[in-house]
Amino acid sequence: MKQTGDSRARRALRFIAPRLFQFVFVVWAAYTVTFLLLHLLPGDPLIAALSVKGGDATPTDPAELSELRARYGLDGSVWDQYVTNGLAALRGDLGVSIATGQNVGDMIARALPNTAIVAVLALLIGVVVSLLITYWAFVTRAGWLRNTLLQIPPLGVAIPAFFSGLVLVSIFAYGLGILPSSGTRNPLSPILPAITLAMPVGAIFFQVFSAAVLEARASSYVFTAIAKGVSLPTLFFRHVLRNALLPSITILGLLIGYLAGGTAVVESVFSRDGIGRLTVDAVLARDSNVVQGVVIVVAVVYSVVNLLVDFSYGLTDPRTRPAALRRRVQDARNQAVVER
Amino acid sequence: MTELLQVRGLEVEYTTRSGTTPAVRGVDFDVERGAVVAIVGESGSGKSTISQALIRQVAEGGRITGGSVVFDGRDLLQLPEKSLRSLRGARIGFVPQDPSSSLNPLIKVGEQIAESLRLHTGLSRKDAAKRAVEILAEVGISEPAARADQYPHELSGGMRQRVLIGIAWACEPALVIADEPTSALDVTVQRHVLDRMELLAAQHDTAVLLVTHDLAVAADRASRMLVMNQGRIVEQGTAADVLGDPQHEYTRRLVAAAPGLSSGRMHPRPVEVHGEDTRRALTLGFAERRDADRVPNILEVEDLVKTYSLRGGLGDKSTLVAVDHVSFSVPRGTTYSLVGESGSGKTTTARIAARLVQADSGVVRFDGQDIGELRGESLRQLRRRVQVVYQNPFGSLDPTMTVEAIVSEPLTAFRIGSRAERRETARALLDAVRLDPEFASRKPAQLSGGQRQRVAIARALALGPELLVLDEPVSALDVSVQEQILQLLVDLQREFALSYLFISHDLGVIRQISDSVAVMQHGRVVESGSAETVMSTPQDAYTRELLAAIPGAHSGP
Amino acid sequence: MKTLLTRPGMIVSALIVIAALALTFAPQLFATHDPYEGIPADQLQPPSAAHWFGTDALGRDLYSRVVYGAFLSLATAGLAVVVGVAIGAVVGLVSGFIGGRVDFVLMRIVDVVIAVPSILLSLIVVAGLGFGAVPVAIGVGIGAAGSFARVTRSQVVRVRTAEYVEAARSMGVRWPAILVRHVFPNSARPVIALAALEVGTAILAVSALSFLGFGAAPPAPEWGALVSYGRDFLATAWWLSVLPGAVILVVVLAVNRLARAIGGER
């Protein structure tokens, strides 16, 4: 099993190259798919946006319209727009909002921190609570308790985020008055949105993780460990946890996507200025430039997370062989998709 | 108190959605210090459940409902969890069944042994690691220091089982429970692993409770034997007594069926076909056989080569020669067997012969005709004359179809007969494989392994083939069922003038059914000839090793 | 079937789904008031015997509005599933059965579609198509198509490489017959189960989009829109948001429970 330096470098390259390629591909393709959907679906994006913005005062003068088209990067053939906007995005220029006239990149940059803090907090709450409940289900001797605990995630998946958000607001903001109901200024403001978002996200993680734990629990190597005289907590943390986390972290990317989507609802409920609300407002204003910009940013974030997950997987699992790894990652993601 | 372990009235039951079933129904036995006691039984006999119940760790859904397990004066079933844990691994070792999944894939093997040492002997991390390396050496692993630093997936199956044995013996226990320790291993590896266990037991004066389905293994290794059937011990005594003079009717059947112990080719018995109508139904799909200008060999294989490329990714491609210049021919109406261990290329050879896989080079002639280049419809017509029976009766039958639909599917595929005629044929075929035609409306999930394999054979017979390729058709079955299926194959061969290409890893099985044998190793045929000659006067060293590794040689009758 | 009846959770779920379907197709049988005409004197009444779910600011009976909203919410969700299943199943089937390069290309595209969060994908479609129930349904359907394609493909591949398929081939069964007799029946169940699960997801997605204001225009009583309407009265008339939200929750729970049963879980 000894390797020369050369082959080690080549192995590393072999591991990294396809993932980098996939990264670039996903971002490019997300741009392309969005572009096609926005531009090939019936209706002129500019007219649609202007009519929302101006109502009856929509300019109809062709000269004025073509000037506006040039300003918003919507001039020329569809193919020209595709290439020009794509190249601009590559330079970091996401164009100008039709609705507000602001630079899309700036708008996103302003909204991103507000969303990020809620998303990270939600992910943390979701994962930690999942771990705790699963651990509890693992060590308990009562079968009914285990079954009840494992029934929690279907509940989490079925709760509409706008509903749980409103209930939380009624209780903690209006009822008890201990947490702010909306806005971003109060340092405690991310808490309720994060809890709201943590429910569905945590439920998805819980399903994959608890399934992996139960599978590990029934596996032969856990039996071997029990026959060795290992205690339950040691069994969980030493033998089960790592094996169960491996398939679970592969869905982190998927969760990031879900978080990004979930913020659209949650930020509207809590009136927070973030990516989600930005997107909703952009769609309401039919502002295709902002929508396009948001999709590119989300695709980049998603790809970065997946890249990190793949690398960490490669580092933690000694069995890492590209083919087998890809298959396992794929399987885990498939399962997560099914259970969402 | 002389007995190390006293089991009295042990009862275990499993609760599933469909109700509660007893798995162990009141079992009494003793294991004295330093003795090797074997529990023998077929699948579902409850033998593995006993082994788990002894350390109070039955599988999910299982519950110990009664009895006592007194180990060294203490009842393990009454002990608090904590005291029990201090016995597990320290005083009672356990060698589990499946070496491929019984080691934690994410922990280095040395550390997996060291964990047990640290838990029970209070060794420091460093000393435990050092001792683990010594244990690896004791269980017969070469370069133990380097191996200790490897992960389970980097070790072969035999080595992993040695590591598990090392874990079991790490703290020098008084008792080791070994649950089918070698059934997942090749015979030659099996022998070495069992030898090593025997040696360790002798050195450390450990009592061993050996759980096995293999009567011959038990006969070789154990001083005393318990025979289990349906959760009860039906017979116990010294190995020589149980095998030489079995008292219980079940034991007698088991002893008679064990392939390693009896020998010689089976003799065909007539297949009872009731009445002319049934016979007509049975042969509905049979094509007219041309008796003129028949060539003597139904199948001739010349110089087959098949290589697989193992892709390690970009750049380095290594190739595996699965079949390496293999030639043989199957005389009409006889059984030709390919025998070898896993990776010997026997299955690939059979698949090429059945035209399921294309060879890289070489010629396959069926009934004098080169079938290597057949395509489309002419290949489909060939399928009528060559049928395949697969190893795994759980995988080769479509779970959504009824038995009747499965058996008549070949007829449907070739549009033979009306729907009613096909139904009649399916029933006649089930009758011919000695399966109650009542089974016709069942689904595969409602059948046992042996019944499924009968269905698979009935299906293979539907078109009246001339050659059956049987790929390990009995290796997934219990011995007594194994024997019934082999007898059935022998009977059908006579009745329908079939030729068999038979694949097996088990020389005992081969001996019961074959006329000629080819021994394969690393893709090559190392020896071939009539079954009797090869078995009695093996020429090749590998054949001799295989024969020597057959359990039952030590004390068989 | 017997085990199905012995499980109370299943029975309750089945009853809820049946009730939801009844509301969808015959709301007039269940409504107690006119869903659009309010009684001004009865405005903002809490739940009572006269108004089971209370009334809104215009004095409209909330229970009747929820009853009439079932069609909008559930039919839209149903249409979304049909769109998603149609696209996803075809892509997955083609990808899995043909394999090779076609499979590679299709699955990379699916990777991308999955990379974009489904609600965002729905929003993009809505941004392109405009607002209303049908665009929302198409948007949600396209958002779900990716995962659907992936699962269908993995099922087809699993069955295609199963031993009984090889056994059928070795018996001389032709490919079309193998497809019909073996591949469809064996891959159908997980795909149907996922479709059923997708119904629950689609109800959530549709009501979320309506909540955000992209669905059927007011005063249409779509469930998500009802919750959204109640937001302004959260401090004073809790029932306006909470009861429609609870209805969504209960229906989705019931649908998912049945879906899991179809999928063969417990």
Side-chain angles (χ1 to χ4, degrees):
Chain A
M1 296 286 156
K2 289 187 189 85
Q3 282 164 16
T4 61
D6 173 53
S7 90
R8 186 176 285 260
R10 273 179 58 188
R11 272 171 62 101
L13 185 70
R14 217 161 48 219
F15 186 78
I16 294 167
R19 283 165 178 78
L20 279 178
F21 173 78
Q22 182 153 11
F23 178 100
V24 174
F25 174 78
V26 166
V27 175
W28 165 77
Y31 166 67
T32 307
V33 169
T34 323
F35 185 89
L36 289 177
L37 282 173
L38 287 171
H39 291 262
L40 294 188
L41 287 173
D44 180 326
L46 181 74
I47 304 287
L50 290 179
S51 63
V52 172
K53 186 182 180 181
D56 293 336
T58 309
T60 45
D61 174 35
E64 196 179 340
L65 272 179
S66 72
E67 195 250 329
L68 285 171
R69 272 186 210 288
R71 188 188 317 161
Y72 299 125
L74 296 170
D75 52 341
S77 69
V78 171
W79 173 246
D80 280 345
Q81 292 179 36
Y82 174 73
V83 174
T84 324
N85 294 355
L87 289 176
L90 217 53
R91 290 193 307 268
D93 175 8
L94 298 175
V96 177
S97 159
I98 307 175
T100 65
Q102 296 179 28
N103 183 299
V104 173
D106 293 345
M107 291 168 76
I108 293 175
R110 240 178 293 131
L112 203 53
N114 287 334
T115 301
I117 189 165
V118 171
V120 169
L121 206 55
L123 194 62
L124 250 131
I125 296 172
V127 169
V128 169
V129 172
S130 301
L131 288 179
L132 290 177
I133 297 179
T134 309
Y135 177 68
W136 193 17
F138 183 83
V139 292
T140 182
R141 291 166 156 277
W144 63 268
L145 181 60
R146 180 157 55 241
N147 286 338
T148 313
L149 288 173
L150 295 177
Q151 287 303 315
I152 295 175
L155 194 69
V157 175
I159 297 180
F162 51 86
F163 174 63
S164 50
L166 290 177
V167 170
L168 287 175
V169 167
S170 320
I171 298 173
F172 292 98
Y174 298 148
L176 302 173
I178 51 175
L179 287 170
S181 69
S182 61
T184 46
R185 264 185 269 284
N186 190 318
L188 293 179
S189 68
I191 293 179
L192 287 183
I195 294 175
T196 308
L197 204 48
M199 284 190 226
V201 170
I204 296 173
F205 180 81
F206 187 120
Q207 281 185 327
V208 174
F209 179 65
S210 64
V213 166
L214 290 185
E215 192 189 318
R217 187 194 169 85
S219 72
S220 316
Y221 61 82
V222 163
F223 184 87
T224 308
I226 292 173
K228 257 189 232 177
V230 172
S231 66
L232 266 184
T234 313
L235 192 64
F236 184 82
F237 289 106
R238 221 179 122 72
H239 292 275
V240 171
L241 187 63
R242 264 180 72 198
N243 279 292
L245 272 181
L246 280 174
S248 310
I249 58 171
T250 60
I251 62 154
L252 273 183
L254 206 80
L255 290 181
I256 298 294
Y258 199 87
L259 283 165
T263 51
V265 172
V266 171
E267 287 175 356
S268 294
V269 170
F270 292 94
S271 310
R272 289 177 63 85
D273 293 317
I275 295 290
R277 194 139 175 251
L278 187 69
T279 317
V280 171
D281 289 344
V283 174
L284 281 171
R286 307 200 64 182
D287 189 340
S288 52
N289 286 359
V290 175
V291 174
Q292 179 83 69
V294 168
V295 171
I296 292 174
V297 170
V298 170
V300 169
V301 172
Y302 170 88
S303 300
V304 168
V305 171
N306 265 350
L307 208 60
L308 293 177
V309 165
D310 281 0
F311 286 149
S312 67
Y313 211 107
L315 292 178
T316 41
D317 190 343
R319 291 165 297 185
T320 307
R321 277 187 225 100
L325 174 75
R326 256 191 58 130
R327 205 181 53 241
R328 274 204 300 284
V329 170
Q330 207 69 356
D331 285 351
R333 288 192 182 138
N334 276 338
Q335 191 187 352
V337 161
V338 173
E339 283 169 358
R340 186 176 46 166
Chain B
M1 173 147 292
T2 53
E3 310 294 16
L4 178 66
L5 181 77
Q6 281 186 317
V7 178
R8 291 291 174 269
L10 182 65
E11 286 175 24
V12 184
E13 58 183 36
Y14 283 100
T15 307
T16 56
R17 207 149 281 287
S18 50
T20 301
T21 31
V24 178
R25 322 173 188 220
V27 160
D28 307 322
F29 64 91
D30 298 331
V31 177
E32 52 274 32
R33 276 170 214 282
V36 179
V37 176
I39 301 185
V40 183
E42 296 186 301
S43 55
S45 63
K47 60 185 191 306
S48 283
T49 308
I50 290 185
S51 72
Q52 294 165 357
L54 293 185
I55 58 164
R56 221 168 86 194
Q57 184 63 42
V58 288
E60 189 81 22
R63 208 160 59 87
I64 300 170
T65 48
S68 63
V69 175
V70 177
F71 174 78
D72 221 4
R74 285 191 287 178
D75 186 354
L76 299 185
L77 302 185
Q78 306 302 330
L79 228 48
E81 188 70 29
K82 197 154 176 250
S83 331
L84 183 64
R85 274 209 304 275
S86 68
L87 286 178
R88 287 180 187 155
R91 305 271 296 132
I92 305 176
F94 202 105
V95 182
Q97 190 161 11
D98 181 5
S100 65
S101 62
S102 293
L103 287 167
N104 189 326
L106 301 183
I107 300 180
K108 291 175 177 170
V109 294
E111 168 57 22
Q112 298 201 38
I113 298 177
E115 181 180 30
S116 192
L117 291 167
R118 287 203 307 274
L119 264 172
H120 299 294
T121 62
L123 285 182
S124 71
R125 187 161 276 276
K126 204 171 135 216
D127 292 342
K130 221 172 97 198
R131 176 77 189 112
V133 173
E134 292 167 20
I135 289 172
L136 283 176
E138 279 173 39
V139 295
I141 287 179
S142 55
E143 294 184 68
R147 293 295 180 191
D149 220 23
Q150 288 187 323
Y151 290 97
H153 74 274
E154 297 170 292
L155 271 52
S156 70
M159 274 202 273
R160 277 182 243 172
Q161 195 58 294
R162 285 165 197 265
V163 172
L164 286 161
I165 289 170
I167 293 174
W169 258 278
C171 306
E172 309 203 347
L175 171 70
V176 167
I177 301 163
D179 184 3
E180 299 269 17
T182 55
S183 53
L185 304 175
D186 278 332
V187 264
T188 50
V189 183
Q190 170 179 346
R191 182 164 74 132
H192 292 138
V193 168
L194 288 171
D195 284 351
R196 183 60 61 170
M197 274 180 57
E198 218 164 44
L199 186 68
L200 280 170
Q203 280 171 353
H204 299 280
D205 196 28
T206 324
V208 176
L209 186 66
L210 178 66
V211 177
T212 178
H213 69 282
D214 193 333
L215 209 57
V217 164
D220 279 357
R221 310 285 170 174
S223 54
R224 243 158 30 79
M225 242 160 106
L226 319 169
V227 181
M228 287 204 65
N229 185 27
Q230 298 183 336
R232 292 202 178 83
I233 293 178
V234 295
E235 185 156 357
Q236 56 176 310
T238 67
D241 283 350
V242 171
L243 293 175
D245 183 21
Q247 298 300 311
H248 193 274
E249 190 245 327
Y250 175 77
T251 319
R252 271 198 290 264
R253 257 197 292 142
L254 210 59
V255 171
L261 298 170
S262 71
S263 49
R265 197 184 190 285
M266 290 177 163
H267 297 290
R269 299 173 313 192
V271 175
E272 297 139 38
V273 177
H274 311 287
E276 200 48 37
D277 285 352
T278 322
R279 174 158 289 277
R280 203 175 308 122
L282 192 62
T283 53
L284 176 70
F286 285 28
E288 287 292 311
R289 290 193 186 174
R290 290 161 300 143
D291 284 329
D293 55 85
R294 278 182 152 191
V295 288
N297 291 333
I298 185 91
L299 183 75
E300 285 175 347
V301 162
E302 266 171 43
D303 222 17
L304 284 190
V305 176
K306 177 78 187 172
T307 45
Y308 288 106
S309 59
L310 306 169
R311 294 191 56 176
L314 301 170
D316 65 355
K317 264 184 210 156
S318 53
T319 54
L320 171 79
V321 185
V323 180
D324 193 0
H325 299 281
V326 167
S327 306
F328 61 86
S329 42
V330 180
R332 200 179 287 276
T334 68
T335 303
Y336 193 96
S337 295
L338 298 177
V339 63
E341 297 184 293
S342 51
S344 62
K346 57 188 192 304
T347 294
T348 310
T349 308
R351 290 166 60 85
I352 295 170
R355 267 300 263 114
L356 292 171
V357 174
Q358 196 85 313
D360 295 343
S361 67
V363 183
V364 182
R365 267 191 295 273
F366 177 77
D367 204 10
Q369 179 198 8
D370 184 351
I371 61 168
E373 297 304 317
L374 287 185
R375 290 280 180 284
E377 190 53 31
S378 49
L379 178 59
R380 217 171 73 86
Q381 290 303 328
L382 170 75
R383 305 270 188 229
R384 288 192 70 160
R385 305 174 67 192
V386 183
Q387 291 275 312
V388 184
V389 175
Y390 291 84
Q391 169 175 9
N392 180 359
F394 296 85
S396 63
L397 306 179
D398 186 333
T400 59
M401 288 165 67
T402 62
V403 166
E404 183 185 300
I406 289 169
V407 174
S408 57
E409 184 171 23
L411 300 173
T412 318
F414 285 95
R415 304 213 172 85
I416 296 167
S418 67
R419 189 176 290 258
E421 281 175 320
R422 288 200 292 265
R423 171 170 306 155
E424 208 45 48
T425 303
R427 284 168 182 273
L429 284 166
L430 290 179
D431 194 43
V433 295
R434 306 198 183 107
L435 206 56
D436 191 336
E438 289 305 306
F439 282 101
S441 55
R442 296 206 196 171
K443 294 269 175 78
Q446 295 164 296
L447 306 181
S448 70
Q451 289 166 341
R452 288 176 206 217
Q453 204 58 304
R454 284 169 201 266
V455 171
I457 293 170
R459 171 174 68 180
L461 290 177
L463 294 170
E466 291 153 66
L467 176 68
L468 279 192
V469 176
L470 302 149
D471 184 6
E472 301 257 15
V474 295
S475 56
L477 307 174
D478 280 331
V479 265
S480 59
V481 183
Q482 223 173 57
E483 198 225 5
Q484 291 164 18
I485 298 286
L486 289 175
Q487 183 67 54
L488 175 69
L489 287 171
V490 170
D491 302 346
L492 293 171
Q493 178 166 47
R494 158 75 67 82
E495 186 66 26
F496 298 112
L498 296 168
S499 312
Y500 291 155
L501 179 60
F502 192 95
I503 317 300
S504 182
H505 69 281
D506 187 336
L507 273 169
V509 167
I510 296 276
R511 180 149 50 181
Q512 283 174 295
I513 193 164
S514 311
D515 299 304
S516 331
V517 177
V519 180
M520 289 189 71
Q521 185 193 23
H522 305 318
R524 287 205 197 97
V525 173
V526 294
E527 181 165 3
S528 65
S530 85
E532 243 177 63
T533 320
V534 172
M535 299 280 185
S536 56
T537 52
Q539 299 302 306
D540 187 84
Y542 178 68
T543 315
R544 280 199 290 270
E545 196 187 336
L546 268 185
L547 281 165
I550 299 182
H554 295 214
S555 61
Chain C
M1 214 58 194
K2 206 188 287 168
T3 54
L4 214 126
L5 292 176
T6 54
R7 303 190 58 73
M10 288 293 307
I11 297 175
V12 172
S13 300
L15 288 178
I16 291 171
V17 170
I18 291 169
L21 286 175
L23 295 187
T24 305
F25 293 109
Q28 65 282 0
L29 296 182
F30 300 91
T32 53
H33 295 73
D34 185 297
Y36 298 107
E37 289 297 317
I39 308 166
D42 281 1
Q43 61 168 313
L44 289 178
Q45 299 231 326
S48 65
H51 300 286
W52 296 348
F53 282 14
T55 60
D56 65 10
L58 298 174
R60 291 176 295 194
D61 179 65
L62 184 59
Y63 166 72
S64 302
R65 284 178 66 71
V66 168
V67 167
Y68 275 90
F71 176 77
L72 272 174
S73 294
L74 300 182
T76 310
L79 179 62
V81 173
V82 170
V83 170
V85 169
I87 300 175
V90 168
V91 170
L93 205 66
V94 168
S95 193
F97 208 74
I98 296 178
R101 285 200 186 133
V102 176
D103 180 36
F104 182 83
V105 171
L106 284 175
M107 280 305 113
R108 291 298 79 73
I109 293 174
V110 166
D111 278 349
V112 173
V113 174
I114 288 179
V116 181
S118 53
I119 190 164
L120 193 53
L121 204 59
S122 314
L123 283 174
I124 297 168
V125 175
V126 173
L129 280 179
F131 308 151
V134 174
V136 163
I138 294 174
V140 171
I142 290 178
S147 55
F148 214 84
R150 208 184 245 182
V151 170
T152 308
R153 172 185 173 274
S154 71
Q155 285 306 322
V156 171
V157 168
R158 178 183 66 83
V159 176
R160 212 174 74 105
T161 54
E163 208 173 42
Y164 52 80
V165 167
E166 194 195 288
R169 196 164 65 88
S170 77
M171 286 179 305
V173 183
R174 291 186 179 90
W175 270 117
I178 288 180
L179 196 61
V180 173
R181 289 172 68 88
H182 300 286
V183 177
F184 284 161
N186 280 290
S187 50
R189 189 178 163 122
V191 174
I192 291 172
L194 181 66
L197 212 55
E198 207 63 65
V199 172
T201 314
I203 295 174
L204 283 177
V206 165
S207 55
L209 288 176
S210 299
F211 174 85
L212 294 174
F214 301 119
E222 204 283 336
W223 290 350
L226 290 178
V227 178
S228 176
Y229 171 84
R231 286 167 72 188
D232 297 337
F233 305 93
L234 208 51
T236 52
W238 57 269
W239 56 91
L240 284 178
S241 274
V242 171
L243 293 181
V247 168
I248 299 175
L249 172 61
V250 167
V251 171
V252 172
L253 270 180
V255 169
N256 286 355
R257 185 73 192 79
L258 291 186
R260 275 165 215 282
I262 296 173
E265 184 192 300
R266 266 165 280 191

